[in-house]
Every structure is written in structure tokens, then in C-alpha cells.
Amino acid sequence: MPVIDAAGLSKYYGDTRGIEDLSLSVERGEVFGFLGPNGAGKTTAIRTLLGFQSPTAGSATVLGNDIADERAMVEARRNIGYLPSDPGLDGTVTGERLLEYYGSLRGEERRGELLELFSPPLERPIGEYSRGNKQMLAIVLAFMHDPELVFMDEPTSGLDPIKQERFDEFVRTERENGVTFFMSSHILSEVQKICDRVGIIRNGQLVELENIETLRSRGGKSVHLRVAEAVPPSAFDIDGVANLTVGSGEDPPRRDGTDSAEATAFSFTFTGRYNALIEHLTDFDVLDFTIEDAPLDEVFRRFYDGSAGPEPDDGTDGEESSEDVVDRGVS
């Protein structure tokens, strides 16, 4: 049975849509990324799955418990960790006192271990904490009872780069130990590093559900090239080119040894046939050419604005890679 299993889950606030017809499942030991900008419905989905609010329609189970069964969800939350985007901790008490209180309610088997990794100033009132210290305390609170499922909403918000990397490594280790994660984020580099699959939510609706590598491959390739002449943007108005940017390059020498010519630099996302792109480039004096996987943030933007097309087609039934294209001499 999936750790999380949602079918047609919807939550409305009056006439305002939070999430609509959300269907997904998350398996044990998986880090599932839930992507979308602020206001897309990520936090609503998490709060509904946790049983903090009743769904308007649809159903879901978490750790085998119906989220609409309040008594069952109270018991289920003993095995769930929750790391909210804004911890909202009581600023009048010290971190030590808050840990003691939560430990008495849920357990604190891993408190010492976590405090070695994340070290908020426990002796001080939480109201005096920086944003990063509050987040570190929230991480300890979310994990110290050794949960088997953890919901995380923008989990590294406020952490410095060293603590972010430490947290990412901690999540990877926990995953190897069978812990399941449902992680909402708009920090795409973080998602790319630790998530196994991602779902993209737009206006409360799930618009894509894929593993990281497949999603990136469907997003096309990033192409950067420089040609030894002044070329208008319309020269790359061809199938498969998106997000074209044009800039002036350095003035390189002509390949025939004559006077230098103005160079033009192009960058774009390409989802068309690689052979067609190579043939098109033969019309120009190409000085530099690189092609690589599109970064996840570019893939996300294309899916989010609805412009993502089909998987790239190089005309070779998937047997030719982008490296093969470069090796054929366009460099």
C-alpha cells in the first residue's frame, strides 16, 4: 500500500479553489517533490493530507489511514513529522523548553543526534532566534520522534548554504533507511538534488507527475552557440526553439584570415529534431556550440506556463545522445 494515496482530492474555501482533483501516490522510502510557486496550492494539499482540514471532495489515505477519520489521523500523526514553511513557534519559551514539551507528547528518541547536526541556541527564548535558528529548531522537532513519514513545506527556508547541504545529506540518509518524504518547494536546485519524483501543481491542479530524469528529458536541451556574423533573431525561428535570447559576442577573426566580423550569441531551449538543428547550423559560421540538459528551473517554467511540448525527437528512436551530436563535428 502506498504511504500516501490521494484520489480526486479537492479543497475549496468558499468559492476559492485551494486544490482540485488531486490524484497521486507516494511509495515507502521515496522523496516526492511537490512543485509550484506561492499560491499554487502546495500548503493546502499538505494540510489536507495531514487531516488538519477536511477535503471538499475526493479521498486520501496516509499510512493507511483515511484522512477524513479524525481519530485515525490523530494516531497516524504519531508516526508523521511535519516541517512547515513558517514554524510559528512560541517566542516566549526557550528552545530547550519547547523540545521538552514536544518530547513528552511524541517522544524524543533522536533529539541528541539531531542537535549535533542542527544546533539552535536552546538556552535563549525563541523570540530572539534568527530565521535560520527557528528553522533548525523546527527540523529537530519534526524528526526527533523518529517518524516514518515527513511532510516538508519549503524545508530549508532561512538555512545558510552549509546547513542546507547538511539537511540534504540527512534526507538522503533517512531515505536509505526507509523514511518517506513529501516535500513542497519552489527551490528547484534543492528538489533536483534530493527528490526521486516530482509533481507540478498549477492553480490547484496537478499538471505533471514524473521522475526527475524523465521530466528533464521532456523539457528538452539548453543550446548555446556563437556565430561569426551579425544574425537576426528570426534566423532561429524554427521548430523546437523556445525561450530564445540573443547577445553580441566578442569580435572573432574570420576563419579565412580576413578582418574580424561581429559575432552573435544565441541561447535557447530546443525540443525538436537534433538532425534538423545541425542542418540549420550549416548555414552559419559556427564558432562555439554546446548542448546540455535544460536546468530544472527552465523545465518547470515551461510546464507551468503550459508550453512544454513532446519529448525531444532526434530522429534516431532514442539511440543517439546529445553527446553524439557534438561528436559529429559541430563544436
Side-chain angles (χ1 to χ4, degrees), residues 209-223:
L209 185 62
E210 272 296 358
N211 65 60
I212 288 286
E213 291 307 316
T214 300
L215 185 64
R216 290 182 64 184
S217 68
R218 291 185 61 188
K221 300 290 183 180
S222 286
V223 177

Side-chain angles (χ1 to χ4, degrees), residues 80-117:
I80 296 173
Y82 178 40
L83 183 55
S85 58
D86 183 1
L89 305 174
D90 184 351
T92 65
V93 302
T94 65
E96 180 70 33
R97 180 69 186 92
L98 195 65
L99 287 179
E100 290 175 354
Y101 174 69
Y102 274 82
S104 68
L105 294 176
R106 300 185 301 182
E108 53 180 1
E109 296 92 325
R110 305 186 64 182
R111 171 177 167 172
E113 170 196 351
L114 288 159
L115 287 174
E116 290 182 4
L117 295 171

Side-chain angles (χ1 to χ4, degrees), residues 22 30 94-96 103 117 119 136 142 146 158 195 215 231 241 274 326:
L22 181 66
E30 179 177 21
T94 65
E96 180 70 33
L117 295 171
S119 50
M136 286 194 292
D146 200 21
C195 289
L215 185 64
V231 177
V241 170
Y274 297 140
V326 174

Side-chain angles (χ1 to χ4, degrees), residues 2-327:
V3 174
I4 300 172
D5 194 13
L9 195 65
S10 299
K11 176 63 181 178
Y12 278 76
Y13 304 96
D15 294 332
T16 303
R17 176 177 57 192
I19 53 173
E20 184 176 44
D21 197 27
L22 181 66
S23 297
L24 56 84
S25 63
V26 179
E27 301 298 327
R28 187 171 303 279
E30 179 177 21
V31 182
F32 182 86
F34 200 48
L35 306 185
N38 292 335
K42 304 187 304 296
T43 300
T44 295
I46 287 177
R47 293 184 58 81
T48 304
L49 288 170
L50 280 167
F52 293 161
Q53 54 191 17
S54 299
T56 304
S59 62
T61 60
V62 174
L63 294 175
N65 299 280
D66 185 345
I67 63 169
D69 186 334
E70 184 176 350
R71 180 173 298 180
M73 287 304 297
V74 168
E75 186 64 28
R77 284 196 288 269
R78 297 181 185 275
N79 295 311
I80 296 173
Y82 178 40
L83 183 55
S85 58
D86 183 1
L89 305 174
D90 184 351
T92 65
V93 302
T94 65
E96 180 70 33
R97 180 69 186 92
L98 195 65
L99 287 179
E100 290 175 354
Y101 174 69
Y102 274 82
S104 68
L105 294 176
R106 300 185 301 182
E108 53 180 1
E109 296 92 325
R110 305 186 64 182
R111 171 177 167 172
E113 170 196 351
L114 288 159
L115 287 174
E116 290 182 4
L117 295 171
F118 310 100
S119 50
L122 298 182
E123 71 285 355
R124 290 167 49 192
I126 296 171
E128 299 178 3
Y129 279 21
S130 67
R131 180 68 181 88
N133 282 331
K134 288 180 181 178
Q135 195 67 14
M136 286 194 292
L137 181 61
I139 290 171
V140 176
L141 290 170
F143 286 92
M144 71 179 188
H145 61 297
D146 200 21
E148 58 183 285
L149 168 65
V150 182
F151 286 87
M152 306 188 299
D153 194 357
E154 308 291 349
T156 62
S157 176
L159 296 183
D160 63 45
I162 293 176
K163 288 296 193 299
Q164 287 182 20
E165 182 57 38
R166 186 172 297 174
F167 180 78
D168 291 346
E169 182 59 35
F170 174 74
V171 170
R172 285 190 285 265
T173 300
E174 292 298 289
R175 175 182 58 189
E176 292 173 1
N177 293 329
V179 178
T180 306
F181 294 87
F182 187 96
M183 180 176 122
S184 163
S185 182
H186 67 270
I187 303 175
L188 301 174
S189 60
E190 178 178 68
V191 169
Q192 185 169 335
K193 284 191 292 185
I194 65 175
C195 289
D196 302 301
R197 285 192 305 142
V198 296
I200 296 176
I201 187 171
R202 180 178 65 209
N203 297 327
Q205 296 181 312
L206 194 68
V207 296
E208 190 64 31
L209 185 62
E210 272 296 358
N211 65 60
I212 288 286
E213 291 307 316
T214 300
L215 185 64
R216 290 182 64 184
S217 68
R218 291 185 61 188
K221 300 290 183 180
S222 286
V223 177
H224 307 277
L225 63 93
R226 198 163 56 101
V227 297
E229 58 248 59
V231 177
S234 59
F236 283 89
D237 185 15
I238 60 175
D239 289 343
V241 170
N243 305 316
L244 177 71
T245 61
V246 183
S248 60
E250 299 175 354
D251 288 347
R254 291 183 183 273
R255 292 184 177 178
D256 60 7
T258 60
D259 293 338
S260 62
E262 182 181 358
T264 310
F266 294 91
S267 295
F268 52 87
T269 302
F270 188 69
T271 58
R273 296 171 58 89
Y274 297 140
N275 288 342
L277 176 61
I278 298 300
E279 182 177 353
H280 185 72
L281 293 180
T282 60
D283 294 335
F284 307 98
D285 186 4
V286 178
L287 300 171
D288 300 297
F289 176 78
T290 61
I291 182 169
E292 58 192 2
D293 287 338
L296 190 59
D297 57 348
E298 180 64 32
V299 176
F300 170 77
R301 283 196 296 269
R302 294 184 64 244
F303 274 101
Y304 201 80
D305 67 16
S307 64
E311 296 186 22
D313 179 8
D314 61 5
T316 59
D317 296 325
E319 296 177 358
E320 182 180 49
S321 68
S322 59
E323 289 80 5
D324 294 326
V325 174
V326 174
D327 288 342

